[in-house]
Amino acid sequence: MADYVIKEGKQLRVAISGKSGCGNTTVSTLLAKKLGVTLINYTFRQLAKEKGMTLEQVIKNAKTDDRYDRFVDTHQVELALKESCVLGSRLAIWMLKEADLKVYLLASDDLRASRILNREGGNLQDIKKFTAMRDGEDTRRYKKLYDIDNDAYEGIADIIIDTSENDPDAIVAIIMEALEKRGFLNKLS
């Protein structure tokens, strides 16, 4: 993979979204390292730590109080606007309107479930059921909170990448090439 540097005087914000098991966190982390920018992936876990609560308490409270979701989602955008970064979240491409490049990662339900199984262990059928339930809850919540249909990413995303056909390094290379074509990066080699 060629090495790149952000053009002098430019700030760069890349938003990466995808459902659980699509490789969102892996690709966002690799891309941020490759670009030498901050990774922003502010979640309920960080919120719980900051508030002195358990993750379970935050999740329970968020079921009846929309302020938890709204805080996490708006705080990520606030952080992203401060500096060059990669924002990786399920709603990044919708929420970070100022993103210079919006990337949506997708994978089949079966592949997503197998990746979650490899990451967390458990039973594949249980993971498939839980993931389908979580996807449905997320879709309903995003529609209610923001009028966002997270299944309608075409027309929002600049690039849609099927992660079943590319490994994380290849995905990062695709994104880097797109950033170079858009005038944000200079190729060093």
Side-chain angles (χ1 to χ4, degrees):
M1 185 184 313
D3 287 325
Y4 296 87
V5 64
I6 297 173
K7 286 187 176 179
E8 196 168 324
K10 291 239 184 211
Q11 286 210 336
L12 175 62
R13 290 173 186 85
V14 179
I16 301 179
S17 294
K19 294 183 178 180
S20 181
C22 282
N24 196 14
T25 302
T26 301
V27 170
S28 296
T29 301
L30 286 172
L31 181 63
K33 284 181 185 172
K34 191 79 175 163
L35 290 170
V37 300
T38 300
L39 170 65
I40 298 173
N41 188 5
Y42 189 85
T43 64
F44 278 168
R45 189 176 309 278
Q46 283 86 18
L47 178 61
K49 186 176 180 181
E50 288 175 11
K51 299 278 187 196
M53 300 168 72
T54 67
L55 178 59
E56 291 74 23
Q57 287 173 311
V58 170
I59 291 170
K60 181 182 177 197
N61 291 352
K63 288 183 180 185
T64 57
D65 188 345
D66 293 343
R67 290 178 296 180
Y68 288 85
D69 276 299
R70 289 187 186 278
F71 178 81
V72 166
D73 295 330
T74 57
H75 189 59
Q76 287 187 108
V77 172
E78 289 167 358
L79 293 171
L81 293 176
K82 289 181 179 179
E83 61 186 317
S84 292
C85 66
V86 174
L87 173 59
S89 79
R90 292 204 173 81
L91 292 179
I93 67 170
W94 289 273
M95 298 298 283
L96 186 58
K97 297 187 184 342
E98 300 83 357
D100 299 299
L101 185 69
K102 297 177 181 183
V103 180
Y104 191 83
L105 304 178
L106 59 97
S108 70
D109 292 345
D110 286 342
L111 179 56
R112 292 171 49 224
S114 70
R115 287 177 176 164
I116 293 167
L117 175 68
N118 289 339
R119 181 177 70 213
E120 299 173 11
N123 173 282
L124 185 60
Q125 291 309 315
D126 291 343
I127 290 170
K128 283 182 181 182
K129 275 194 249 180
F130 178 79
T131 302
M133 181 271 304
R134 183 178 179 188
D135 288 347
E137 282 185 4
D138 286 349
T139 298
R140 280 188 295 281
R141 198 169 73 249
Y142 303 152
K143 189 72 172 161
K144 175 186 159 205
L145 288 172
Y146 307 113
D147 198 27
I148 291 172
D149 179 354
N150 68 324
D151 289 319
Y153 46 83
E154 291 186 29
I156 303 293
D158 298 309
I159 303 174
I160 299 167
I161 302 172
D162 186 339
T163 64
S164 65
E165 297 174 1
N166 300 282
D167 70 15
D169 288 324
I171 294 166
V172 168
I174 292 166
I175 296 168
M176 298 289 275
E177 288 172 18
L179 289 169
E180 181 193 18
K181 285 179 187 167
R182 288 173 175 248
F184 287 95
L185 302 179
N186 286 328
K187 195 182 242 184
L188 297 177
S189 57

